[in-house]
Amino acid sequence: RPGDDIGQQHPSDKIPHQEINILKGKRFISEIFILFIYHMCYYYFFSVTATERIRMVKKFVVIILLALLCSLLMFSSSIQQAEEKKESKNHPLRPHTEIVVTATATRKAVQDCSASVSIVGEVDLKATAAGNAMNCLASLPGLFVRKTGDFGRADVDIRGIGQQGRRIVVLVDGRPEKMGLFGCVVTHAFPLDNVDRIEVVRGPSSVLYGSDAMGGVVHILTHEPKTKDELFLTATYGSFNTKQMNLRYGSNLNTFKYYFTFDRRESDGHRDNSGYDGSSFTGKLSWNISDQFEAVFQGKYFSGKKFEAGSNEFPLTDFWNDYERGAVDFTTKWKGNREESILKIYRNFGHHQFSDGWHSRDYINGGIFRITSHRWPGLDMTGGIEAKEIGGTSYAFPEGTWKKSDVAIFVQNEYVMVEDLILSAGIRIHHDSLYGFELCPHLGAVYLAGEKTRLRGIINKGFRSPQLNELFMYPAANPDLKPERIWNYEAGFERTLTGWLEFSLSLFRMQGTNLVETLPHPSPPPLFLFQNAGSFTFTGAELGLNARFNNTLSGSLFVSTLNPREKTRGRPGQKWDLSLHYDNKQTFVSLQASYVTDYFADDGHMNRLPSYLLLNSRISVSLTSYLHVFVDIQNILNADYLIFLELPGLASGSYPMPGQNIHLGLSFRH
């Protein structure tokens, strides 16, 4: 080289060319990511009106500062990284790596997923007094549960998107759960009878899960027995004459496993005419035919009657709905040295009767085949095919029988490009028997910038097919409807600040088009018609801190902000969630605090609802190794608060929630 003495080795020659390329690649990726964050923030703040800009600057100035902090933390010195690496190896309290299956449809470490993932695990379930699985999600970042009380419906919004479960996918061990005629989720049909954990993907996931995964995915994973005999019995009694009983029994006989549950819940409700009476049965049989092949059969049946007192705006008397929901599925799993596959065949069915005369039956028959190959180094390739038939019959107005079907093929790849960079790409080709084809792409990246820092980004599309009620059932029905669509742009940053504290930040922008809305018919009759005319732009941020202070004390803090522009109806602008857990094996104490503000009952920031602070606690004490006693205190501060539900007809409105209530329980575990 010019200027070098002959025979003198240049300092760069001491570094292998491969490492030089990796360092250059890391620097390039970091610069691209910072530019991406900058342009997202610019687009986020300056693509709105002046009034909105002032409001958003007040709310999100902290987010901008945190984004700058994240950029600085990326370039920590190599000496600091070495010290952190040594500390992470020696520190016994560093949070362990979580494994999820929902984000990529295969087992994957959370740090390798480009999507935003939340997990409700063993400790979280132990701390909850929720009446059903959906209520367990209320403290997660970006999620808000719209409910009429502690029992009955509990509709989940993910980043402001939900529509009674029509725009999110709910799975139970990979089986989609929907009502055939309306495409909604009967949320109180998911009691906590056999739940092991719940995984949530925040943001569109239509490449893997198809129609309805516009807002995200809620995946309930059920329990499999670990020992020869497992017996669990719990009973509680408390405020509003609420009685609950849950019985579980199962066994692991090595090659054969079985697990059965029965759940029973009754309550007079916290308001007049708000009682509940429901029962649920589940069963699961697993047979390991060989080391590589497993067959699983499971089923459930739920029956529940819920009285609804209506909203403050439109109170109801003697109104009830009676739901029966059932499901069966048969699954085969095969795992070889380089490939693994799953085949699932399922049927969902339901029978619904309401006091207003509604009477219907519905079903969904479907099948999923998915195969993942690890044949090539650094590449995981997943592909599959999914098909289902959706149908139902109404015995009251409007009378009739309707059905439709769809089929899809999908491919998603995860590729480790260099040691610290993971790229993902996927596509779904979806065909509906009524409207034809829909194409759905996905692009994502994860960059591990050092031992304790992770950057990620994602661009993907979600969609929702029109439901049978929108296509055929009512006078406003329109058989020419097309899918609703959404584009999602997201960037995330995670860092382990110390051996016991982790920080995370997600920024997102979602743009929805083609939304189905009821509008005046241009050529009546009828006077109104379902039309693809709606649109929205949602932007937001989710900040999280997870801590494990010592072997007995852990906690988390999540701050979620959402700017839905003018579509503020029932969507909180800010939500703060704090959880603390103390567990020394003999005594378990949990404390959950939630603060909701910037909350409106109408669009355009109209009809502001009161901000509220909820404080809940559970205390459990082990009397013996088998017997435990616990007390749940809900709404400790006796907050007087409302939750807004957007429901058909006169059911929409603000619903008063329960005041302070206490429940005592006894559990036996063997």
Side-chain angles (χ1 to χ4, degrees):
R1 298 181 181 85
D4 286 352
D5 293 336
I6 297 175
Q8 181 178 356
Q9 188 180 33
H10 192 272
S12 64
D13 292 339
K14 298 178 182 180
I15 306 176
H17 290 293
Q18 183 180 5
E19 293 187 15
I20 293 176
N21 292 334
I22 291 175
L23 291 172
K24 289 181 178 179
K26 288 182 177 181
R27 181 182 302 172
F28 174 75
I29 294 164
S30 301
E31 292 171 353
I32 291 297
F33 186 83
I34 293 172
L35 288 173
F36 182 51
I37 289 287
Y38 169 78
H39 285 294
M40 277 196 66
C41 293
Y42 181 87
Y43 191 38
Y44 189 81
F45 280 93
F46 296 102
S47 62
V48 296
T49 65
T51 303
E52 288 178 323
R53 190 178 303 135
I54 293 173
R55 185 185 303 115
M56 291 163 63
V57 167
K58 289 180 180 179
K59 290 182 182 179
F60 299 115
V61 64
V62 176
I63 301 301
I64 297 299
L65 294 175
L66 287 171
L68 294 173
L69 175 63
C70 295
S71 301
L72 293 174
L73 290 173
M74 286 171 48
F75 298 100
S76 56
S77 67
S78 58
I79 297 176
Q80 181 184 359
Q81 288 184 3
E83 291 176 351
E84 289 175 346
K85 185 173 182 180
K86 182 179 179 180
E87 177 189 355
S88 67
K89 288 182 178 180
N90 297 331
H91 203 299
L93 302 176
R94 183 182 179 187
H96 63 278
T97 300
E98 290 273 15
I99 301 296
V100 295
V101 299
T102 308
T104 61
T106 57
R107 287 178 56 84
K108 191 79 65 176
V110 170
Q111 65 180 11
D112 294 339
C113 298
S114 58
S116 295
V117 182
S118 297
I119 300 170
V120 177
E122 180 182 0
V123 174
D124 305 293
L125 293 172
K126 188 177 180 179
T128 185
N132 63 53
M134 299 297 115
N135 278 322
C136 291
L137 310 178
S139 61
L140 296 181
L143 272 71
F144 185 70
V145 178
R146 305 196 199 190
K147 58 184 182 178
T148 60
D150 288 338
F151 293 92
R153 67 181 315 121
D155 300 320
V156 177
D157 282 5
I158 301 178
R159 294 175 172 174
I161 300 175
Q163 200 192 21
Q164 298 91 55
R166 291 181 177 88
R167 292 176 178 148
I168 64 171
V169 164
V170 177
L171 308 170
V172 177
D173 290 334
R175 180 188 69 241
E177 287 265 1
K178 290 282 184 179
M179 180 188 175
L181 291 176
F182 290 84
C184 57
V185 178
V186 183
T187 51
H188 47 291
F190 302 101
L192 286 170
D193 48 3
N194 63 346
V195 178
D196 234 11
R197 65 191 260 129
I198 305 174
E199 297 178 0
V200 177
V201 179
R202 310 191 308 274
S205 302
S206 288
V207 167
L208 289 173
Y209 300 106
S211 174
D212 305 344
M214 288 182 64
V217 179
V218 175
H219 193 180
I220 301 171
L221 300 168
T222 62
H223 182 69
E224 287 192 359
K226 305 295 190 301
T227 60
K228 185 176 181 181
D229 289 297
E230 291 187 6
L231 175 64
F232 179 78
L233 173 65
T234 182
T236 66
Y237 179 80
S239 302
F240 318 122
N241 194 30
T242 300
K243 300 181 284 287
Q244 305 179 54
M245 191 271 286
N246 181 255
L247 174 65
R248 314 176 198 179
Y249 178 72
S251 183
N252 185 332
L253 304 174
N254 295 325
T255 60
F256 184 73
K257 306 172 190 174
Y258 61 87
Y259 200 70
F260 299 97
T261 71
F262 169 72
D263 188 90
R264 174 76 178 162
R265 298 172 188 262
E266 299 178 42
S267 179
D268 292 342
H270 68 288
R271 305 169 62 193
D272 293 338
N273 193 55
S274 64
Y276 177 81
D277 188 338
S279 300
S280 176
F281 305 86
T282 73
K284 187 175 185 179
L285 306 174
S286 303
W287 181 25
N288 292 321
I289 300 173
S290 68
D291 292 339
Q292 296 180 319
F293 192 76
E294 181 184 16
V296 181
F297 176 82
Q298 58 183 339
K300 82 164 196 178
Y301 175 78
F302 166 83
S303 176
K305 187 172 185 178
K306 178 68 170 70
F307 287 82
E308 294 290 1
S311 64
N312 282 343
E313 294 80 2
F314 298 101
L316 302 173
T317 58
D318 198 30
F319 179 84
W320 51 264
N321 49 58
D322 193 342
Y323 288 103
E324 294 181 59
R325 300 299 305 174
V328 292
D329 68 69
F330 176 73
T331 306
T332 60
K333 303 175 184 178
W334 176 81
K335 186 172 184 178
N337 294 328
R338 296 184 176 181
E339 281 85 22
E340 56 184 292
S341 66
I342 182 171
L343 171 65
K344 182 182 292 289
I345 301 171
Y346 64 89
R347 176 177 173 86
N348 297 324
F349 52 92
H351 183 198
H352 302 172
Q353 297 186 75
F354 297 174
S355 58
D356 62 2
W358 176 263
H359 185 196
S360 69
R361 294 181 184 272
D362 67 274
Y363 68 90
I364 299 180
N365 298 325
I368 305 169
F369 174 74
R370 184 173 62 245
I371 184 169
T372 299
S373 175
H374 314 283
R375 184 172 294 273
W376 299 276
L379 176 64
D380 286 348
M381 179 178 291
T382 299
I385 183 170
E386 180 176 1
K388 60 176 176 283
E389 180 185 71
I390 305 167
T393 300
S394 171
Y395 302 104
F397 177 81
E399 293 187 39
T401 298
W402 304 274
K403 68 178 180 179
K404 72 186 189 83
S405 61
D406 57 55
V407 62
I409 58 174
F410 58 89
V411 177
Q412 178 157 306
N413 298 325
E414 304 280 335
Y415 177 56
V416 181
M417 187 173 181
V418 294
E419 182 182 359
D420 299 323
L421 176 63
I422 303 173
L423 302 179
S424 61
I427 191 167
R428 185 183 188 95
I429 302 174
H430 185 96
H431 182 266
D432 187 281
S433 60
L434 298 177
Y435 65 74
F437 286 94
E438 184 72 11
L439 194 66
C440 192
H442 161 97
L443 291 172
V446 178
Y447 173 54
L448 304 177
E451 177 71 17
K452 296 186 178 182
T453 303
R454 181 172 79 108
L455 309 173
R456 58 182 180 82
I458 193 169
I459 300 174
N460 60 356
K461 177 186 174 183
F463 71 99
R464 181 187 79 97
S465 299
Q467 306 298 327
L468 290 173
N469 68 306
E470 298 165 333
L471 293 165
F472 303 118
M473 291 178 58
Y474 292 100
N478 181 1
D480 296 325
L481 290 173
K482 301 300 181 183
E484 299 178 334
R485 302 183 179 103
I486 183 173
W487 279 95
N488 177 56
Y489 309 89
E490 182 177 346
F493 171 87
E494 288 91 30
R495 181 173 175 83
T496 301
L497 302 178
T498 69
W500 54 272
L501 183 64
E502 295 178 340
F503 168 82
S504 64
L505 173 67
S506 296
L507 299 172
F508 63 88
R509 180 183 181 90
M510 300 186 297
Q511 295 175 293
T513 58
N514 247 28
L515 301 187
V516 176
E517 294 185 343
T518 306
L519 299 174
H521 191 190
S523 302
L527 294 177
F528 297 93
L529 194 70
F530 288 127
Q531 300 177 48
N532 292 113
S535 63
F536 68 83
T537 299
F538 291 172
T539 50
E542 296 154 359
L543 180 150
L545 288 171
N546 285 288
R548 186 168 180 83
F549 304 103
N550 52 46
N551 289 324
T552 59
L553 183 63
S554 62
S556 63
L557 172 66
F558 299 118
V559 181
S560 306
T561 63
L562 176 70
N563 178 22
R565 303 301 195 270
E566 295 301 311
K567 295 186 178 297
T568 55
R569 183 178 171 98
R571 298 181 174 95
Q574 294 185 47
K575 186 169 76 82
W576 298 63
D577 296 289
L578 172 68
S579 298
L580 293 172
H581 305 301
Y582 172 81
D583 189 358
N584 69 354
K585 297 184 179 180
Q586 295 298 116
T587 303
F588 177 83
V589 180
S590 70
L591 182 68
Q592 295 91 33
S594 294
Y595 177 67
V596 173
T597 188
D598 201 14
Y599 191 27
F600 301 89
D602 285 307
D603 287 336
H605 302 87
M606 302 293 290
N607 194 6
R608 180 183 288 271
L609 293 170
S611 303
Y612 61 87
L613 173 64
L614 282 181
L615 200 61
N616 303 322
S617 181
R618 165 172 282 198
I619 302 172
S620 176
V621 178
S622 299
L623 303 179
T624 69
S625 58
Y626 300 109
L627 196 61
H628 313 269
V629 62
F630 60 89
V631 57
D632 293 314
I633 309 175
Q634 303 295 300
N635 195 359
I636 296 173
L637 302 177
N638 199 28
D640 184 10
Y641 69 106
L642 304 170
I643 289 183
F644 183 87
L645 273 76
E646 193 166 4
L647 300 171
L650 299 179
S652 290
S654 55
Y655 284 73
M657 293 294 106
Q660 185 184 92
N661 57 96
I662 301 174
H663 302 268
L664 298 174
L666 193 67
S667 64
F668 174 83
R669 184 189 298 270
H670 175 66

